[in-house]
Structures are given as structure tokens and as C-alpha cells.
């Protein structure tokens, strides 16, 4: 059963626009919520991560918004660029769950058009 | 500093053949993981290890075995390959800081086709 649900499955945004990807989880024990970026033929790489004691974290053009009561978190990419075109995965983990193993969403394929 | 290295990068197997995928990390990480990635399914955990000499089953362990004889290496074995095991396999490693988990580093993947 999918412990982290991600939407949308695919997203097309114009250059300069805002990309928004949403995730929801059920396990309230999760205490680490990273986003991974994956380019074709490459392994996933950490983009940004948040812990549940804060509601927002920003790194450059990338922001995570976290809503603990709703058990939801989202990734916002401001001023989206063609180089941001990739697959994005949200994930969640906790030490009690398979040794910190990440539970991934199914991924969002982002295309930023020029 | 190579990070996480997977060998081989590509492989084609016939149904019933066996093979071993090797993962090596040079970051002295305690935790290591094997995931498989299939279209539209995200990454699913096959097996994991919380330290040298220990392994445990993940979400989709059937048809796979693993071993962690050395801290830096994590091997994934397929004893009798099936077409359903056609996938891209990723190894990852991480460490904990106290009871908090930290970034997981992924290898470049192994693309396996079983015909």
C-alpha cells in the first residue's frame, strides 16, 4: 500500500511560472520529508527536505510547505526553468519504519517549456 | 569521493538465470538500501541493511536475496530471474545523526532486462 500519495502525475509549466507538486501521507510517525529530483538515466538526488517542526523551508527557488494537521506537504518551484524539467519524488521516513528507508510517492514528471 | 557506485550499469538476462548486483559506498554509511523503479510506481524498497552483517526485507522482497558482509558493500542477488524483475535497480546509503535520519545518496542505477 502506498504510504505517500503524490499528485499530479505530470505537469507542464511555462518558463517563469510556478510548479506545484502535492503529497499526502498517513503515518503520523514520519518525521523526515525530502523531495528528490531525478533526470533521465540518473539516480535520484536530494533537492530539499523538511522536518515536521517547521511549516516551510525555502532554498533558492524551491520551497516546501508542510501542513502537519492535514498530513500534507508540497513543493513549489518558483520561476521555473527548462533545466528544472525532471521527475520529482516526495518521500517520508522514520527510524521505526525499515531503518529510515524512504517511502516514495509515485513521482511527477515536470516539463518546463521555453 | 565516488559516493555510491553500482555494478553493472546494464544487463540482459534470460529467464531462470541468476546474477548479483553490487553496490559500494565510500561514505562510511551505516544504512544501505535496494530499491526498484518501475514506470508509474515510484521507487519501492526491496531489502535494506542497518549495519554490517544485518539485512531485512522491504516492501517487495520476493525473488531477491541480499548480503552485507562488509560495511561498504551491499549485494542484491536474483537466484532465478523472471520477466517481472525487469526494472531499474537503485542502491542508496545514508546515516543517522542521533535519532534523526539524513540525506540518502543514490547510485546511478542498474537497468536489468529479463527476456
Amino acid at each position: 500500500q502506498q504510504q505517500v500519495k503524490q499528485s499530479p502525475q505530470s505537469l507542464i509549466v511555462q518558463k517563469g511560472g510556478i510548479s506545484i507538486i502535492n503529497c499526502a501521507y498517513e503515518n503520523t510517525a514520519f518525521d523526515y520529508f525530502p523531495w528528490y529530483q531525478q533526470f533521465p538515466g540518473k539516480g535520484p538526488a536530494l533537492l530539499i527536505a523538511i522536518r515536521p517542526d517547521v511549516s516551510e523551508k525555502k532554498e533558492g527557488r524551491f520551497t516546501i510547505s508542510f501542513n502537519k494537521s492535514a498530513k500534507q506537504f508540497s513543493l513549489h518551484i518558483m520561476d521555473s526553468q527548462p533545466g528544472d524539467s525532471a521527475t520529482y519524488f516526495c518521500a517520508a521516513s522514520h527510524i521505526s519504519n525499515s531503518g529510515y528507508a524512504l517511502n516514495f510517492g509515485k513521482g511527477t514528471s515536470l516539463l518546463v517549456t521555453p | 569521493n565516488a559516493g555510491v557506485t553500482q555494478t553493472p550499469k546494464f544487463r540482459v538476462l534470460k529467464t531462470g538465470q541468476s546474477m548479483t548486483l553490487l553496490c559500494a559506498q565510500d561514505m562510511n554509511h551505516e544504512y544501505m538500501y535496494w530499491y526498484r523503479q518501475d514506470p508509474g510506481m515510484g521507487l519501492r524498497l526491496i531489502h535494506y541493511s542497518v549495519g554490517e552483517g544485518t539485512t531485512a526485507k522491504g516492501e517487495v522482497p520476493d525473488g531477491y536475496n541480499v548480503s552485507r558482509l562488509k560495511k561498504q558493500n551491499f549485494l542484491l542477488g536474483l537466484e532465478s530471474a523472471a520477466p517481472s524483475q525487469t526494472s531499474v535497480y537503485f542502491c542508496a546509503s545514508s546515516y543517522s545523526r542521533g535519532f534523526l535520519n539524513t540525506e540518502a545518496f543514490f547510485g546511478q542505477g542498474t537497468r536489468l532486462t529479463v527476456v
Side-chain angles (χ1 to χ4, degrees), chain A residues 21-84:
Chain A
I21 305 171
N22 300 300
C23 286
Y25 64 97
E26 289 297 325
N27 188 345
T28 55
F30 287 145
D31 61 0
Y32 180 64
F33 301 89
W35 285 89
Y36 277 78
Q37 180 187 55
Q38 185 181 31
F39 294 104
K42 303 293 185 183
L46 180 67
L47 185 63
I48 186 172
I50 197 168
R51 300 191 191 274
D53 52 344
V54 297
S55 60
E56 185 175 280
K57 183 174 182 180
K58 183 176 181 180
E59 290 184 0
R61 296 184 293 109
F62 302 92
T63 299
I64 299 179
S65 297
F66 186 82
N67 186 330
K68 189 174 182 179
S69 61
K71 292 185 287 185
Q72 296 174 346
F73 59 111
S74 60
L75 176 70
H76 291 64
I77 305 175
M78 311 299 288
D79 186 27
S80 298
Q81 299 296 312
D84 297 330

Side-chain angles (χ1 to χ4, degrees), chain A residues 1-2 9 31-32 36 38 41-46 51 89 93-95 98-107, chain B residues 31 33 35 37 40-43 45 48 50 57-59 90 94 96 98-108:
Chain A
Q1 56 279 25
Q2 197 84 17
Q9 185 175 350
D31 61 0
Y32 180 64
Y36 277 78
Q38 185 181 31
K42 303 293 185 183
L46 180 67
R51 300 191 191 274
F89 294 95
S93 73
H94 182 264
I95 185 174
S98 303
Y100 295 127
L102 294 167
N103 296 272
F104 284 91
K106 292 187 177 183
Chain B
Y31 305 98
Y33 314 90
Y35 293 89
Q37 183 175 27
M41 297 296 293
L43 290 93
L45 182 68
Y48 66 98
V50 300
K57 294 180 180 180
E59 179 187 355
F90 286 100
S94 70
S96 66
F99 289 103
L100 297 177
N101 43 7
T102 59
E103 177 180 358
F105 293 83
F106 283 79
Q108 293 292 293

Side-chain angles (χ1 to χ4, degrees), chain B residues 15-108:
Chain B
T15 297
Q17 286 186 320
S18 63
M19 78 164 294
T20 300
L21 283 68
L22 172 63
C23 177
Q25 53 96 2
D26 61 2
M27 296 172 283
N28 201 35
H29 285 171
E30 289 292 333
Y31 305 98
M32 296 188 74
Y33 314 90
W34 276 105
Y35 293 89
R36 60 177 289 173
Q37 183 175 27
D38 303 291
M41 297 296 293
L43 290 93
R44 293 179 293 170
L45 182 68
I46 305 172
H47 285 280
Y48 66 98
S49 169
V50 300
E52 180 179 324
T54 71
T55 63
K57 294 180 180 180
E59 179 187 355
V60 289
D62 294 344
Y64 306 96
N65 57 75
V66 288
S67 65
R68 183 124 181 247
L69 300 180
K70 294 182 178 180
K71 186 177 183 178
Q72 64 268 31
N73 295 336
F74 195 27
L75 279 63
L76 178 70
L78 285 74
E79 291 185 346
S80 179
S84 61
Q85 295 178 302
T86 293
S87 187
V88 181
Y89 292 85
F90 286 100
C91 176
S93 72
S94 70
Y95 69 99
S96 66
R97 189 178 295 128
F99 289 103
L100 297 177
N101 43 7
T102 59
E103 177 180 358
F105 293 83
F106 283 79
Q108 293 292 293

